Amino acid sequence: MSDDVFAFGTWVRLRRQSLVLTREELAGRVGCAEVTIRKIEADERKPSPQIAQLLAQQLGLPIEQHDLFVRVARGILAVEHLPAPILGAPVQTAADTATLVPLLQHMVVPALPSGTVTFLFTDIEGSTRRWEEQPDAMRVALAHHNAILYAAIETHDGHVFKTIGDAFCAAFASAPDALAAAVAGQRTLSNEGWGEIRPIRVRMALHTGTAEPQDGDYLGQPLNRAARLLAAGHGGQILLSLAAHELVRDGLPAGTSLSSLGTHRLKDLARPEPIYQASLLDLPADFPPLKSLDARSTNLPASVNELIGRTREAAEVITLLQGNARLVTLTGPGGTG
């Protein structure tokens, strides 16, 4: 191994060049933005575990070395554990290792934001059915979708810390940056040519809270609220919690406006959430009602939580029940109860 191989990014660059791949070609195969590959090769960003797995595959590493590659990519192991980056080159010597160690100690890995963090969660509407009906077309569409979102998020200083299927979880130190990324992503997705498949519609949700990263991920209540907020939305829609709304309302991206959708109860969350929608002037802004616990799925009237009238009758029933009556029957026309 050459003495100039002193960091993971350099290893990736040399391996890519050895395979005669451009950054654009590698990004297309992995399903990320070209800027992501550039930042990885410059050691300005470490890849997510999912991207690292795809890189290992596209860079031609044997399957048994994929886990090793991911651990090096995530900074758990030093790059000296990887084979030679240039195909056909001899493995590194002990002297090479001695040269590399001091340089590896100075590698800088961008840290995930902590403290007050704005989370952007996204997923594709109706993706399960699409995979069932058009698996080959969805595979191509998903690669375009991933590249668009990675580019939008990273261009606005966001960090993708997790992907689950077609869902993205990103963290931002700045709420306006998070909204700008969402707006840029929706605009690009809307203008993308999707070929034989129907246009991809992505729902997005932003929530701001206090969180600390742990092993490349986050834990805590803010993530739960962001996930429930996302579940209430529709494809093409950008939803914001009250906390995120307060931080972005005075500095909106061009062509963007905010509107209140009211206060809604979300599944498993004790506190109702005032929900806002970010609308883009050049994109549709009318969506079905939010899928919250307040949405009625029947034509029955909303239940009341207070008995109005029938004070005397209610008192008589209570007296009977507190007495010796073992059974009390109430009869009357519909609505009496």
Side-chain angles (χ1 to χ4, degrees):
M1 179 180 291
S2 172
D3 288 347
D4 65 347
V5 183
F6 58 87
F8 174 73
T10 305
W11 191 99
V12 172
R13 175 177 58 79
L14 291 177
R15 185 75 167 195
R16 172 180 60 77
Q17 293 172 342
S18 180
L19 293 168
V20 196
L21 289 173
T22 66
R23 288 197 185 105
E24 182 180 8
E25 289 170 335
L26 181 58
R29 294 185 181 188
V30 172
C32 67
E34 183 181 355
V35 66
T36 301
I37 301 299
R38 179 179 60 76
K39 289 186 175 182
I40 290 172
E41 292 185 351
D43 290 303
E44 295 176 359
R45 185 180 298 277
K46 62 180 179 180
S48 67
Q50 293 81 7
I51 291 295
Q53 283 280 2
L54 293 170
L55 279 172
Q57 178 182 348
Q58 297 302 324
L59 292 174
L61 271 75
I63 186 66
E64 62 271 14
Q65 294 182 356
H66 285 196
D67 182 62
L68 172 66
F69 181 87
V70 172
R71 285 185 286 168
V72 173
R74 300 295 294 169
I76 299 173
L77 294 176
V79 73
E80 64 193 65
H81 291 84
L82 292 177
I86 301 175
L87 298 181
V91 297
Q92 64 191 42
T93 64
D96 293 327
T97 301
T99 302
L100 297 177
V101 169
L103 295 168
L104 287 166
Q105 293 174 346
H106 293 87
M107 290 177 63
V108 177
V109 178
L112 292 172
S114 61
T116 301
V117 180
T118 297
F119 294 101
L120 168 61
F121 282 17
T122 79
D123 69 4
I124 298 176
E125 182 179 55
S127 61
T128 300
R129 176 176 295 180
R130 288 169 177 262
W131 277 107
E132 290 291 324
E133 296 175 348
Q134 297 175 289
D136 293 335
M138 266 302 288
R139 192 171 291 108
V140 175
L142 184 62
H144 288 314
H145 160 273
N146 291 353
I148 289 169
L149 289 191
Y150 270 114
I153 291 168
E154 294 179 352
T155 299
H156 294 89
D157 297 324
H159 303 258
V160 177
F161 63 90
K162 183 186 298 183
T163 59
I164 306 172
D166 57 65
F168 273 59
C169 301
F172 294 77
S174 160
D177 284 344
L179 179 58
V183 168
Q186 290 289 22
R187 281 204 171 105
T188 307
L189 288 165
S190 178
N191 294 327
E192 179 72 11
W194 295 103
E196 62 182 272
I197 201 167
R198 300 189 311 276
I200 295 292
R201 290 169 55 82
V202 176
R203 55 184 178 176
M204 301 183 178
L206 287 85
H207 176 58
T208 303
T210 302
E212 297 295 331
Q214 294 185 7
D215 299 325
D217 200 346
Y218 291 89
L219 299 174
Q221 188 273 344
L223 281 81
N224 299 332
R225 190 160 289 267
R228 293 307 188 194
L229 184 62
L230 177 69
H234 301 275
Q237 193 170 31
I238 302 174
L239 299 179
L240 298 88
S241 67
L242 174 63
H245 169 270
E246 292 302 298
L247 292 174
V248 304
R249 63 179 185 175
D250 294 328
L252 298 176
T256 305
S257 62
L258 297 175
S259 58
S260 172
L261 300 181
T263 299
H264 293 260
R265 294 179 301 120
L266 302 176
K267 184 179 178 182
D268 298 329
L269 300 182
R271 173 172 56 83
E273 180 67 54
I275 299 178
Y276 298 84
Q277 175 180 303
S279 300
L280 285 64
L281 296 180
D282 52 335
L283 295 180
D286 294 328
F287 299 94
L290 294 179
K291 294 177 282 187
S292 66
L293 297 181
D294 302 285
R296 297 205 300 269
S297 58
T298 72
N299 60 355
L300 297 176
S303 60
V304 297
N305 55 14
E306 185 176 354
L307 182 64
I308 301 176
R310 300 293 185 185
T311 303
R312 179 175 59 83
E313 290 82 354
E316 290 178 359
V317 171
I318 292 173
T319 300
L320 289 171
L321 292 174
Q322 290 177 338
N324 296 323
R326 299 180 62 187
L327 176 65
V328 176
T329 301
L330 303 178
T331 61
T336 298

